[in-house]
């Protein structure tokens, strides 16, 4: 069995994974959903990676799953502990020397999101529910909103990404084809240009761990089984 390490996106709360975590445990895996120091202005990507490494401890058989902004810190983790597989989920892909703040303009994310919004007849103004929660079940959305908006410091976006290259770790990219924040065609281009890999698509928007946890778990388990090879568990 594996140790799944679930890294959240902006806001850094482990609660994002609350529907996925029990499903993975039911399959016999150890699961760590990490809380990141997202509200701490003293914490940058190195400190985010520290939090993940501390949570891992001496566990092995690691499968890192990085949601959205988690794509900035997960590769750093993979240079510090032995990782079997890194799964990028609707994630940002940094380049060496590029700050998280520069990523937005360098990739053209805003223009890509605007094109998708125009195509689908969405409001031009950003709206959290329309862009992020459009496919999340009402009761799940209510539970998330009841917790209040998680703070996200700008500190992790200020410094250049510290790695000289992507770590030598098997990497898969899984993208929700209905993502209104990072549209699928945008992510396809980013994965090709920045990592030289293709992407896999699944139904769902940006928050697939909340909207389609069972399908997400199936995809993750498929990746893990493929890595293990015939007869692997």
């Amino acid at each position: 069995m594996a140790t799944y390490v679930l890294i959240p996106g902006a806001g850094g709360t482990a609660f994002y994974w609350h529907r996925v975590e029990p499903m993975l445990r039911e399959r016999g895996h150890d699961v760590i959903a990490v809380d990141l120091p997202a509200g701490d202005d003293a914490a940058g990507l190195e400190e985010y990676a520290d939090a993940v490494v501390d949570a891992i401890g001496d566990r092995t058989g690691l499968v890192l799953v990085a949601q959205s902004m988690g794509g900035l810190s997960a590769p750093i983790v993979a240079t510090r502990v032995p990782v079997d597989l890194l799964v990028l989920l609707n994630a940002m892909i940094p380049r060496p020397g590029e700050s998280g703040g520069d990523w937005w303009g360098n990739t053209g994310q805003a223009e890509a999101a605007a094109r998708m919004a125009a195509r689908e007849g969405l409001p031009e103004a950003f709206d959290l529910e329309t862009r992020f929660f459009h496919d999340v079940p009402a009761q799940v959305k209510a539970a998330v909103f009841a917790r209040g908006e998680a703070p996200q410091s700008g500190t992790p976006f200020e410094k250049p990404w510290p790695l000289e290259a992507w770590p030598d770790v098997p990497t898969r990219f899984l993208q929700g084809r209905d993502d209104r924040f990072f549209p699928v065609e945008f992510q396809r281009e980013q994965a090709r240009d920045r990592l030289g890999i293709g992407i896999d698509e699944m139904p769902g928007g940006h928050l697939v761990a909340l909207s389609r946890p069972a399908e997400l778990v199936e995809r993750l388990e498929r990746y893990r089984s493929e890595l293990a090879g015939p007869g692997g568990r």
Side-chain angles (χ1 to χ4, degrees), residues 40-61:
D40 184 355
D41 286 334
L45 292 179
E46 298 280 6
E47 287 73 28
Y48 283 34
D50 289 343
V52 178
V53 171
D54 288 346
I56 291 170
D58 60 359
R59 294 174 175 87
T60 58

Side-chain angles (χ1 to χ4, degrees), residues 19-126:
R19 304 187 76 195
V20 170
E21 185 174 359
M23 294 181 183
L24 289 171
R25 290 191 184 279
E26 287 172 2
R27 293 174 181 244
H29 301 298
D30 191 4
V31 185
I32 307 165
V34 184
D35 276 313
L36 298 175
D40 184 355
D41 286 334
L45 292 179
E46 298 280 6
E47 287 73 28
Y48 283 34
D50 289 343
V52 178
V53 171
D54 288 346
I56 291 170
D58 60 359
R59 294 174 175 87
T60 58
L62 305 178
V63 178
L64 299 190
V65 185
Q67 160 72 23
S68 194
M69 181 187 168
L72 302 181
S73 56
I76 304 173
V77 175
T79 67
R80 299 186 184 178
V81 293
V83 172
D84 291 344
L85 176 65
L86 171 56
V87 180
L88 299 172
L89 179 62
N90 295 337
M92 300 170 69
I93 304 173
R95 276 184 170 146
E98 177 184 67
S99 72
D102 287 339
W103 179 91
W104 306 93
N106 290 348
T107 61
Q109 180 274 337
E111 293 82 358
R115 287 193 296 271
M116 182 178 191
R119 188 168 63 242
E120 297 199 356
L122 302 176
E124 290 186 17
F126 178 85

Side-chain angles (χ1 to χ4, degrees), residues 117-157:
R119 188 168 63 242
E120 297 199 356
L122 302 176
E124 290 186 17
F126 178 85
D127 175 76
L128 186 66
E129 293 193 45
T130 301
R131 298 298 173 95
F132 283 171
F133 287 88
H134 57 97
D135 65 333
V136 175
Q139 69 273 19
V140 178
K141 181 172 69 173
V144 174
F145 279 43
R147 295 172 61 87
E149 185 174 357
Q152 177 56 64
S153 168
T155 301
F157 295 97

Side-chain angles (χ1 to χ4, degrees), residues 150-176:
Q152 177 56 64
S153 168
T155 301
F157 295 97
E158 293 173 356
K159 293 182 179 180
W161 194 59
L163 301 186
E164 295 181 358
W166 197 261
D168 185 18
V169 173
T171 302
R172 302 290 183 271
F173 197 109
L174 181 58
Q175 176 68 29

